[in-house]
Amino acid sequence: MKRMIWVGIGIAVGVVAVRKLTKAAHSVTPGGVAERVGGAGAEMKASLKAFWADVSEAKQAKEAELFDAIERGEDLTPLLSDDEEEDRALQGRQY
């Protein structure tokens, strides 16, 4: 009975080891590399879409703010100068 238990454990360990080795071997084949690169490309595409949505939203908010100020006949200098000062501060900063 003891031998049967050890044989069962050995078979289970062997199956797990073969599956892991097969998976590792597949990851270095051209097909496996293509799958990883494709997945990374999809993630980058999603990130860029989210970034572009954020930029578009901020642009629309700023445009609305400027159009409202124009309609009210307000001076646009304060609305424009804040952004320019931030841009100059960022340009002088070393990364």
Side-chain angles (χ1 to χ4, degrees):
M1 185 68 177
K2 225 179 199 181
R3 286 184 182 171
M4 293 298 280
I5 291 173
W6 284 110
V7 168
I9 291 173
I11 290 172
V13 169
V15 167
V16 170
V18 167
R19 285 186 176 214
K20 286 192 179 231
L21 287 173
T22 302
K23 188 176 180 180
H26 176 71
S27 70
V28 296
T29 63
V33 171
E35 288 174 6
R36 286 197 318 252
V37 170
E43 289 176 17
M44 181 168 286
K45 183 178 179 182
S47 295
L48 288 174
K49 281 181 128 178
F51 171 74
W52 188 251
D54 291 344
V55 168
S56 296
E57 184 180 325
K59 180 187 79 151
Q60 290 173 352
K62 187 64 172 181
E63 285 176 350
E65 182 182 2
L66 289 170
F67 285 135
D68 289 342
I70 290 170
E71 287 178 0
R72 290 190 303 261
E74 294 179 1
D75 183 22
L76 298 179
T77 307
L79 294 174
L80 298 174
S81 65
D82 290 340
D83 291 336
E84 291 173 3
E85 289 175 11
E86 289 176 15
D87 289 343
R88 279 189 293 236
L90 289 175
Q91 288 175 355
R93 203 157 93 190
Q94 293 181 356
Y95 295 99

